[in-house]
Amino acid sequence: MKNTALTDIHVKAGAKMVPFAGYNMPVQYTGINAEHETVRKAVGVFDVSHMGEFILKGENALDLIQRVTSNDASKLYDGKVQYSCLPNENGGIVDDLLVYRIDEKTYMLVVNASNIEKDWNWISKYNTKGVDMKNISDRTSLLAIQGPKAAEALQTLTEVDLVSMEYYTFKKGTFAGVDNVLISATGYTGAGGFEIYFENQYAEQIWDAIFKAGEPFGIKPIGLGARDTLRLEMGFCLYGNDIDDNTSPLEAGLGWVTKFNKEFTNAEALQAQKQAGVNRKLVGFEMIDRGIPRHDYVIVDADGNTIGKVTSGTQSPSLQKAIGMGYVDTAFAKEGTEIYISIRDNKIKAQIVKPPFYKAL
């Protein structure tokens, strides 16, 4: 089991630690609902140093990224981030990822913790033109500071103007006295905020500085439990739950990051699928009857026929109702359609809704 550079701090803070993607990670500190509310209303800090980071450098770096990712990375400019996915050769997804353009010949890919080795091997297989690839995952720490008060809480720590940063852009600068910190206005919570990347040796210094600066704003450490409820309220996919090696990006509603103006892995088959139409779709749903949907629960129609499967589900802390995502036959994917979740052999009524479930005021 791997530790992050901040594991000891989490343990001292009373976090409940669990194995996650091969790492010893904090799932909660004071409780998932309270931590969830902190991020929605104030500011919270997630240690997400388990994520993977690859640097791709050289004349052919963009060419390699274009061939292995579904989105069009030629649209990136220095300081811009793009959400994308790595299609496999069978119509599924190797992983979803973020692509950072540092300069014309240098890119950083941020991948899911559970897929670091798999993604590295996959991209390496297509690296036929001598792109310099470095896996910097083990020496890189990553904190996500999320919530409406994030910019205000962090601004004293950096000269980078945080308030003016546009969504899905990044800047490099000094942060908490540490040079060359990458500050990114991305997020997985829908609450606004930043993700900051830096070398492991500065982890405790930066963590302590963030909590000192954020104290007047009610800053708290947040575990992976609340990260999951927050992302689900936004309808964001989680690899291994909502997307995997057997789900097409088009089925998953990721057509917007699947661009057919270039050649990429399995592009021809995916384009044919787009023209023919998909047989199933990833949808959001809210429970009408009482019950909490869970991963792998069966979805049925009014007659009890199986029409799909739940991929993610929870009791939404913000909405005070149960919500979920899952794949259903396309005929049942329309907004407003009534479906049923099979919970302990009972048909529990739900309704298809369009994510995000939570809409900030």
Side-chain angles (χ1 to χ4, degrees):
M1 193 68 61
K2 289 184 176 180
N3 290 324
T4 76
L6 293 163
T7 298
D8 289 347
I9 283 180
H10 303 316
V11 172
K12 281 178 195 161
K16 180 184 176 187
M17 306 296 286
V18 298
F20 183 82
Y23 282 80
N24 190 21
M25 297 297 290
V27 69
Q28 64 179 44
Y29 297 83
T30 54
I32 291 172
N33 287 359
E35 291 170 31
H36 181 109
E37 191 168 322
T38 293
V39 175
R40 282 275 177 255
K41 294 183 176 174
V43 56
V45 184
F46 303 85
D47 177 10
V48 281
S49 304
H50 61 313
M51 298 290 280
E53 295 86 16
F54 306 153
I55 300 292
L56 273 56
K57 200 167 188 173
E59 296 284 346
N60 296 307
L62 177 60
D63 173 77
L64 175 57
I65 291 165
Q66 288 288 70
R67 286 186 288 120
V68 297
T69 66
S70 61
N71 209 338
D72 184 3
S74 72
K75 302 287 188 201
L76 289 169
Y77 50 84
D78 293 0
K80 181 67 178 164
V81 191
Q82 183 182 75
Y83 178 67
S84 193
C85 71
L86 299 168
N88 64 24
E89 289 159 354
N90 312 310
I93 299 171
V94 177
D95 201 4
D96 62 336
L97 75 162
L98 295 178
V99 180
Y100 285 68
R101 174 167 150 156
I102 292 164
D103 61 44
E104 193 182 352
K105 296 177 185 175
T106 313
Y107 295 80
M108 180 170 76
L109 310 184
V110 181
V111 303
N112 285 298
S114 55
N115 292 333
I116 292 172
E117 187 179 355
K118 172 187 167 192
D119 292 358
W120 178 263
N121 292 339
W122 182 261
I123 297 165
S124 297
K125 185 172 88 167
Y126 289 91
N127 185 14
T128 53
K129 298 180 184 177
V131 175
D132 179 26
M133 290 176 57
K134 283 192 175 66
N135 180 356
I136 61 167
S137 308
D138 285 345
R139 66 173 197 252
T140 304
S141 288
L142 170 58
L143 296 178
I145 301 95
Q146 297 282 295
K149 296 181 181 176
E152 208 179 350
L154 298 179
Q155 190 59 76
T156 58
L157 299 175
T158 182
E159 289 178 2
V160 173
D161 184 358
L162 299 176
V163 175
S164 69
M165 281 184 71
E166 293 177 16
Y167 193 44
Y168 268 66
T169 65
F170 71 93
K171 289 182 178 172
K172 280 191 172 186
T174 301
F175 185 93
V178 178
D179 292 334
N180 202 35
V181 173
L182 191 152
I183 304 166
S184 171
T186 51
Y188 194 50
T189 64
F194 305 90
E195 293 184 303
I196 57 172
Y197 300 81
F198 49 90
E199 291 182 20
N200 288 344
Q201 68 198 73
Y202 302 112
E204 289 196 22
Q205 178 184 334
I206 287 178
W207 178 272
D208 290 345
I210 286 170
F211 278 89
K212 190 175 178 184
E215 196 174 347
F217 304 95
I219 200 164
K220 298 272 171 62
I222 313 294
L224 293 180
R227 189 168 171 84
D228 194 50
T229 55
L230 288 156
R231 71 90 193 168
L232 185 48
E233 287 184 347
M234 299 309 296
F236 293 151
C237 290
L238 173 64
Y239 193 90
N241 279 43
D242 313 298
I243 51 176
D244 58 34
D245 288 301
N246 301 306
T247 57
S248 147
L250 303 177
E251 294 172 337
L254 298 178
W256 63 283
V257 299
T258 309
K259 304 291 170 62
F260 296 111
N261 60 340
K262 59 165 198 160
E263 283 296 317
F264 62 87
T265 318
N266 209 40
E268 207 172 299
L270 289 171
Q271 190 156 24
Q273 185 183 58
K274 183 181 181 179
Q275 287 164 352
V278 294
N279 296 322
R280 60 175 189 160
K281 285 185 179 176
L282 182 64
V283 296
F285 59 86
E286 289 181 350
M287 301 303 295
I288 294 172
D289 293 341
R290 196 175 171 85
I292 298 178
R294 299 295 185 196
H295 180 67
D296 276 349
Y297 280 11
V298 173
I299 304 174
V300 298
D301 65 12
D303 298 323
N305 301 306
T306 298
I307 58 166
K309 193 169 71 170
V310 175
T311 55
S312 291
T314 195
Q315 176 74 14
S316 160
S318 300
L319 304 172
Q320 297 294 298
K321 64 171 82 167
I323 58 172
M325 290 162 64
Y327 286 91
V328 297
D329 297 343
T330 304
F332 295 88
K334 193 177 174 189
E335 204 174 338
T337 302
E338 283 190 354
I339 57 171
Y340 297 84
I341 314 300
S342 182
I343 303 178
R344 289 182 286 280
D345 294 328
N346 294 316
K347 285 194 316 179
I348 311 297
K349 190 186 287 186
Q351 184 179 47
I352 303 290
V353 298
K354 188 178 180 182
F357 302 96
Y358 174 81
K359 294 166 181 72
L361 297 172

